[in-house]
Amino acid sequence: NDLWTNEAAREQIVKPEKAELAKRNDGRGVRWGRTVRQQVNVPVRSALTAVYFADEQNGWAVGYDAAIVATKDGGKTWVKQFYQFKDPNGAMPQMILHDIACTDANTCMAVGAFGLLITTVDGGNTWTSQPGPFVAEGSHLHAITKLDDGGVVIVGERGLIALTRDAGATWKKVQSDYQGTYFFALPN
């Protein structure tokens, strides 16, 4: 699998289709447009779905088979930190991570299918799975976003919006009149 990066803007695109359009931040705001791409190899064959950089050097990408790959050199090289391939007999559902966010270069949370929530507090040396907050049986967590004030929001199916201000130790359910699926959460 390949990870495509936009070196000039430090924004990342993780599309195996090698899309021509990419999000970029040129100092005048986030824009969409054509970009110069650089292909780098990653140590998994699974499709990657999201990428997050805690700073200029430390970043993570997540995806299918609960794959988590990390870089400590701004995206030039990537190492596998976590990987859970689907049981070939189908006894275990495929574990898919949809999104990742970090509060700093050590503390990150990744969310995914079937309420999957995986966290690290040591820069990815160890990842711990825990139940997603307020997740109904079989529901998916679709996005996680770090807020400007340091809090973290998770959104998902059945109108789920959950907020933590202590790196996931406790969660507060945010009430919403919408009971459908949230696919994205934007920082404030």
Side-chain angles (χ1 to χ4, degrees), residues 3-24:
L3 179 67
W4 291 84
T5 65
N6 174 355
E7 285 294 317
R10 298 304 317 144
E11 291 289 337
Q12 308 301 314
I13 181 170
V14 189
K15 300 289 183 192
E17 304 85 43
K18 303 169 188 154
E20 286 297 324
L21 293 179
K23 186 171 76 169
R24 60 186 168 93

Side-chain angles (χ1 to χ4, degrees), residues 1-3 14-16 42 44-50 61-64 67-69 78 97:
N1 205 2
D2 298 320
L3 179 67
V14 189
K15 300 289 183 192
V42 293
V44 295
R45 294 183 52 102
S46 305
L48 300 174
T49 57
V62 299
Y64 282 69
I68 302 175
V69 295
W78 295 82
L97 291 171

Side-chain angles (χ1 to χ4, degrees), residues 61-85:
V62 299
Y64 282 69
D65 304 316
I68 302 175
V69 295
T71 181
K72 293 185 181 293
D73 59 12
K76 292 180 182 84
T77 60
W78 295 82
V79 296
K80 180 172 43 176
Q81 288 188 333
F82 190 84
Y83 185 76
Q84 180 63 57
F85 188 71

Side-chain angles (χ1 to χ4, degrees), residues 50-167:
V51 67
Y52 188 94
F53 273 79
D55 54 41
E56 286 291 317
Q57 297 300 311
N58 296 288
W60 291 264
V62 299
Y64 282 69
D65 304 316
I68 302 175
V69 295
T71 181
K72 293 185 181 293
D73 59 12
K76 292 180 182 84
T77 60
W78 295 82
V79 296
K80 180 172 43 176
Q81 288 188 333
F82 190 84
Y83 185 76
Q84 180 63 57
F85 188 71
K86 181 181 175 182
D87 180 348
N89 297 321
M92 177 178 62
Q94 185 175 28
M95 297 172 63
I96 303 168
L97 291 171
H98 294 137
D99 203 5
I100 186 167
C102 304
T103 56
D104 56 46
N106 289 313
T107 308
C108 301
M109 294 179 244
V111 297
F114 305 105
L116 184 60
L117 173 61
I118 300 177
T119 61
T120 184
V121 295
D122 60 9
N125 291 322
T126 57
W127 289 88
T128 304
S129 180
Q130 63 187 67
F134 311 107
V135 175
E137 183 71 28
S139 292
H140 304 311
L141 301 173
H142 288 289
I144 185 166
T145 300
K146 177 186 168 193
L147 302 176
D148 293 341
D149 66 5
V152 175
V153 170
I154 291 176
V155 299
E157 293 179 343
R158 301 181 186 175
L160 176 66
I161 305 172
L163 170 69
T164 184
R165 298 204 181 279
D166 55 12

